[in-house]
Amino acid sequence: MANDWPLVGREQELAFARRALADTEVCGLLLTGRAGAGKTRLAKVLLTELAGDGARTHWVRAMSSASTIPFGAFAHLLPGSADGTADRAHRLNQVAGHLTRGAEGRRLVLCVDDAHLLDDLSATLVHQLAATAAAFVIVIAPHGVSVPDPVFAMWKDRVAERLDVGELTRAQTIELVTAALGGRLDDGAEHRLWHLTLGNPLFLRELVQGGLDSGSLSAVDGLWRWSGALTATPRLVELIETRTDRVDADERRLLELLAFGEPLGSEPLVRLGAASVLASTERAGLVVSERIGRRLNVRLAHPLYAEVIRRRTSPLRQRDTYRILARTLDLTGARRAEDKPRLVRWRLAAGLPTDPQLVRAAAETLLRKDFPQAEQLAAEAVRLGGGFAAKYLLAQVRIAGGRHADADALLAELAGETVSDAQHARVAGTRARNLAFGLNRFDEAESVLDTAETAVSGTADELVVARAAVRAATGACREALDLLGPVLDRNPRGDVLRLSALVVAAGALAESGRTEACLGVVEEGLAITAADASVPGSRVRLEHARVVALCRAGRLEEAEDLAGEHYRAAVGDRWAPALAAAAASLGTVALAYGNVRAAIRRLSEALAVEGHDQPHEFRPAVASALARASAMAGQATDSPGRWATAWACAARGELTRAASLASQAVLEYAGRPAVAAEISHDLVRFGVPEFSSELDGPLVSLYAAHARALSAGDAAALDAVATAFADMGARLLAAEAAAEASRAHRAAGKLGSAVGSAQRAQSWLASCPDAATPALALLDTPLDLTVRELEIARLVATGLTSRAVADRLVVSVRTVDNVLHGVYAKLGISGRRELASVVGQPEPGSSAADGP
C-alpha cells in the first residue's frame, strides 16, 4: 500500500484554505480537530501546492522535549551564529529577519505542527510573522487543548482564519478505503471499519494496514474481505496509549470500567464517587455522555480506545474490573432487559457464583444481538451443570453458527441423556435437520428419524416436522406440506414447535408457487420470532422464503425492498447465517431483474460468508443460482445439477444439449412447481418454444405467452411480452423477448419495426451489465440462419473441429459438415476462418481448425 493515501472528502476544507491564502487581509490559518482527523495531511497538501507556485515553505514541528528551550521548535531553521545573549526583542527580530531574508523575495509560508507545544519565544515569533504579514503561517493544534496566548491571539485578532477539520462521513470513509486498496470492500468489512474508526483517517489507515500485514484483509475475486479480528498496528496502539495514558489512577479505573462495560449509566458511577472523574475525562475528550430516553449513558470517546485498553489490562485487573461492574449494576437493580445478560456475563468474568439457569436465559436473550457472547454463555451454562436445557441450547447455537460437526457430536451425546419422549424427539429432530442441512447427510438424517419414531410412544410432532423439512429439501414439497398440515392443526399455539412447522411450510410453499399462502405463513412465523428469540435461524429462513416467493410471483420491487432491509440488519448484527441468507436474497432478486453482475457478486458473498464449517441450508440453491448467473454473463463454469449445467452449455453455444438438460431438470423439479416453471421457461430462452406448468399467475402466464409468440414467430406478440416483462421489472427477459421480436420483424421485412425492437432491447440491457444470453445474440446474427445452423456455426467459430462439434451435439461429423456447407452458401463466405467475423469472435487463444 502506498505511503500516502489519497486525499478524499476534503474538497470544502481545501477550498476554504485556498480562499484564506488568496485573501490579502489574512496572514494565517489555524487548523484544529481531533487527533488523526487529517490536519497534518491537509497542511502538507497546501504546502506542496504553495511550493509549486514558487513560495518558500518551511515545516516546523513542536515537541514537548523542546518546549522549555527558546526557539526550540525553530532550531533547525536558525543560523549557527545566532546571538543567544541578546534581549528578547532583538532575538525575535534577528530570527524573523533571517527567515524573511531566506525567502529571497518569494512568499514565505510556515507550517507549525503541534502548536500547543511551542515554547514562548517560538509562539511569539509565529504571531509576529503573521501580524506583520512577513509570512503566511499555518498552525496545527489538536482540538480541546490550550495553545500559547500569542497563537490564540492570531485567531482572536482576526489575523488568521480558523478551520475545524472533522472526521470523514461514512461515504467518504468507504471512498477513501476503496481508493487506497484499489478495490471495494464487502459490506461487512465496510460496516466494521466505519463503526471502529468513525471516520478518523489515521485510525482507518492503521487498521487497514494491520489487516494487510496480518492477512486478515485480502482480496477474493476482486472484493476485499475481512476475516477474523481487526488488528491495530503498533503505531496506532502507541498513538492511543499516548492519549489514554495521561490520566491519574481514578481516571484510569473509569476508562477500564468503560472499556469492559460500556455504555454505563452515569447514576451508578456517581454513586461510586466518580462524579469529578467523569467531568475531568469528558473535558479531556476521553469519554462522552449521551442521553438515551431518561437515562444518561457514558462511553469512551472512540471505539478503538476500548480495544487498546482491554489489550493492556492484565487478567487480574480485568477480574477486579468485572467485580466493580457487577456491583455497579447491582446498585440499579438491573431493571432493564439488556441489564440482566450483562450482569450474568460480568459475574462470570469476575468469578462470582452464578445460577446456570440464569446463564442459559442470558444466552437465549443474546442469540440475535451478540452471537459470540451467546455461545460463550451457553457453554458456560453447560459447564455449571445446566443439564439438558443448557446442552440443547448449546447445540442449537453451534448449528446457528455453522459448527455443524460439533453440534452433531453434542446432539449424539445428548440423545443418550434424554429422560422423556419429548426430549428424545426434540434431540432426534434437531440432529436429523443438522445432518441434512449442515452436513449434507440426508440418508443418515432419515435413519435418525426412523430410529427415533420407534423409540417414542405415539406421534412426535418434532419428528414429523423434521421429516417434512428433509422431504421438502429433496423436492417433495407436496409430501412435506401434507405432513405439516396435521401438525399445525394439533399445535395452534404460537410456540417453538409451531414456528418450526411454519418455517418448513414457508419454504415448501415458495417452491410450490403458492405465494399468498407462503406470505401468510411467513407473517405468522415472524410474529412468533418477535416474541421468542430462542430459535434465531427461523427468522432468517422465513425472510428468505418470502423474498423467493415474491420473486417467483414477479413482485420484484417488494422482494428488493425486503431483501435490502434484511441485508442492512444482517450487516449490523454481524451474524453469519443472517448475512449469508440476506446476501442470497439480494442475489436472487438481482438475478430475477437480470442484473447478472450484481447477482454474481451477492451470491458469491453468500457462499463466502464466514462461520460455516459445512454448507448452510441455502447453499445448494445459491450455488446453482451463481452458476446460472455466471453462464448468463457468458462464463461457463463447473455447475451443480442439470439446471445449472444446462446454462453452462448454453454459454458455450451448445443449445441442443442445454435444451436436453433443461428438459430433464423440469422433470427433476416436478415436486417444486414454481422452480419447474422457471426451468421450463429457460427452455423457451434456449430456443425451444414449448411451455407447460400446472401453475397460474402473472409471471407463469407471461412465460406461456412468450412461448406461444416465439412458436408463431409473432413479432407484435413478442413486443407485447417484452413490455410486460419490463413492467414487472424482469429487464433481461424483456431484452431477450425484444431481440426475438426484432428478428421476427426482420424476417417479415419490417426493418423499421426491427430497429425499434432492437433499440428497446438495448435500453433494457443498460441495466443488465455483463448479460450475454443466447437470445441476446440474435441482435447481431445473420437473419438467414436457422437455430441449428447458428449453433454449429458459433461452435466452429470458437476453433472446434467438426469432430468436436459432433461429439458435443451428439450428431455425426457428416451432419456437421453438411450444415456448415449450407451456412457458407447462405452467408457467401468460403470457409470456417471467416465465420468468427459473422457469427461471433473465437475464444481467446483458440484458432480456426483446418477443414471445410
Side-chain angles (χ1 to χ4, degrees), residues 178-208:
T178 301
L181 292 175
R184 66 173 301 276
L185 289 163
D186 75 344
D187 296 83
E190 286 183 0
H191 182 83
R192 295 175 70 186
L193 279 173
W194 164 250
H195 283 277
L196 272 177
T197 65
L198 298 180
N200 186 294
L202 177 61
F203 291 176
L204 181 68
R205 174 185 174 131
E206 295 302 319
L207 274 183
V208 169

Side-chain angles (χ1 to χ4, degrees), residues 629-684:
S630 299
M632 290 178 201
Q635 307 163 17
T637 59
D638 292 336
S639 305
R642 289 189 180 90
W643 187 15
T645 303
W647 270 104
C649 291
R652 292 192 293 265
E654 302 170 20
L655 293 182
T656 301
R657 178 162 168 72
S660 174
L661 286 168
S663 297
Q664 296 173 44
V666 170
L667 299 176
E668 179 184 333
Y669 283 88
R672 307 178 191 182
V675 185
E678 186 176 346
I679 302 172
S680 186
H681 182 245
D682 283 347
L683 271 168
V684 180

Side-chain angles (χ1 to χ4, degrees), residues 9 36 114 141 265 275 333 335 340 460 663 678 690 723 788 815 841:
D114 286 334
R335 296 186 298 268
K340 292 176 180 176
S663 297
E678 186 176 346
E690 301 172 1
T723 299
R788 171 49 67 90
T815 297
Q841 296 297 319

Side-chain angles (χ1 to χ4, degrees), residues 266-291:
S266 62
E267 180 184 348
L269 291 173
V270 170
R271 289 185 187 178
L272 290 173
S276 62
V277 178
L278 281 170
S280 64
T281 51
E282 188 168 28
R283 283 195 304 270
L286 294 173
V287 306
V288 294
S289 56
E290 54 189 0
R291 188 168 293 281

